[in-house]
Amino acid sequence: MMRALIVDDEPLARDRLRRLLGRLGGIEVVGEAGNATEACVAMRQIPDLVFLDIEMPGEDGIQLAHRLREADLPPAIVFTTAHADRALPASETAPAGYLLKPIEPAALTAAIERAARPNRCHQSRRPTLTVRLGREELRLGPEHVVAAMAEDKATHLYLLDPADGRRREAWIEPSLNELEERFDGQLLRLHRNSLVNAAQIHSVSHHDGQHRCHVHHLDEPLMISRRAWRSVRDALEE
């Protein structure tokens, strides 16, 4: 199942594309946007695929595509337009497809198949974690994780909202071991009950024979076990 974002300033065009995608299957539309500003907010869902209209007021689709290519988790892009003469400028962003309106189902299917093929962008993608906060669903890269603590047979996650950077909290099912494996060493073990993003550590203190880790966005320091102290020290020295 691929996650898709539809960006088009025409509501009818968005509705038609959503209906076509619903008939094809294999695509979950996680958001819609009518301009580049709304699209950047919707990108917090970290879609795999963006259907991007070229002609939009303000920042056009080609300009937006260049920005999306700089994202930590760049999506595949399929341009949609009524103007065939925009294909050449659009090709500079290396899109997965280019669809002329009105979009035909066969052309849409072919574009999705191309977008699903592994490419350098897909291969460079870092692992993500999906977290639900009420009605919201966020997909987090390792840079959005502050720390995680095992509590009451669940994991208490402190995170930075991908949209605005504010600290938030969530209870998730994956264990600390699963988080370590998923992010492949990008989270640092402090204790058998805690992990931290090394980039969020601002200092380490020592008191009464116990090392403590002071972390940005956390109110209280985290204890560092004797077993973990050497790896924490080495990580900070790097």
Side-chain angles (χ1 to χ4, degrees):
M1 181 70 72
M2 296 183 71
R3 297 161 57 89
L5 170 66
I6 300 173
V7 183
D8 197 307
D9 63 316
E10 298 179 5
L12 292 178
R14 296 198 302 269
D15 290 344
R16 184 173 189 276
L17 180 52
R18 181 186 280 272
R19 289 197 301 272
L20 288 173
L21 293 171
R23 293 169 190 163
L24 292 177
I27 295 286
E28 176 190 5
V29 177
V30 296
E32 295 184 12
N35 55 51
T37 301
E38 293 177 0
C40 289
V41 174
M43 281 296 294
R44 69 188 297 176
Q45 300 293 340
I46 314 184
D48 304 302
L49 173 61
V50 175
F51 291 97
L52 181 55
D53 185 26
I54 293 180
E55 301 292 337
M56 296 189 297
E59 185 177 18
D60 68 20
I62 296 175
Q63 293 171 314
L64 177 58
H66 282 291
R67 284 212 286 156
L68 296 183
R69 285 298 182 205
E70 301 301 318
D72 291 328
L73 300 171
I77 294 172
V78 173
F79 283 113
T80 62
T81 184
H83 305 282
D85 60 345
R86 300 304 302 273
L88 183 58
S91 67
E92 296 176 358
T93 64
Y98 187 96
L99 296 173
L100 286 176
K101 300 176 182 178
I103 297 171
E104 297 296 331
L108 178 59
T109 299
I112 292 171
E113 290 175 350
R114 286 194 299 271
R117 295 171 189 162
N119 55 41
R120 282 184 294 178
C121 284
H122 294 140
Q123 292 166 359
S124 66
R125 287 188 173 190
R126 287 173 290 171
T128 62
L129 175 69
T130 300
V131 173
R132 287 194 175 276
L133 292 171
R135 295 184 178 181
E136 293 183 275
E137 182 177 272
L138 307 181
R139 289 183 75 188
L140 310 177
E143 72 276 14
H144 302 125
V145 175
V146 175
M149 277 81 94
E151 299 179 22
D152 299 326
K153 297 183 180 180
T155 300
H156 191 181
L157 183 70
Y158 292 85
L159 62 103
L160 300 179
D161 193 305
D164 55 24
R166 63 191 172 102
R167 195 200 80 173
R168 304 183 72 175
E169 300 178 32
W171 290 93
I172 60 175
E173 292 185 2
S175 67
L176 298 187
N177 288 339
E178 289 172 314
L179 290 178
E180 274 190 301
E181 182 177 352
R182 178 172 304 191
F183 291 120
D184 192 22
Q186 297 180 71
L187 298 180
L188 184 63
R189 175 75 71 162
L190 296 181
H191 192 278
R192 62 185 177 85
N193 292 330
S194 62
L195 293 171
V196 70
N197 182 340
Q200 295 293 340
I201 298 174
H202 66 76
S203 63
V204 171
S205 62
H206 185 266
H207 183 69
D208 292 337
Q210 177 66 58
H211 287 94
R212 293 176 173 82
C213 183
H214 301 266
V215 183
H216 293 292
H217 308 288
L218 293 188
D219 298 327
E220 300 292 334
L222 302 178
M223 307 293 283
I224 305 174
S225 70
R226 292 183 179 180
R227 177 177 296 180
W229 167 240
R230 178 172 294 181
S231 61
V232 173
R233 183 190 61 192
D234 291 345
L236 294 177
E237 288 177 351
E238 292 177 2

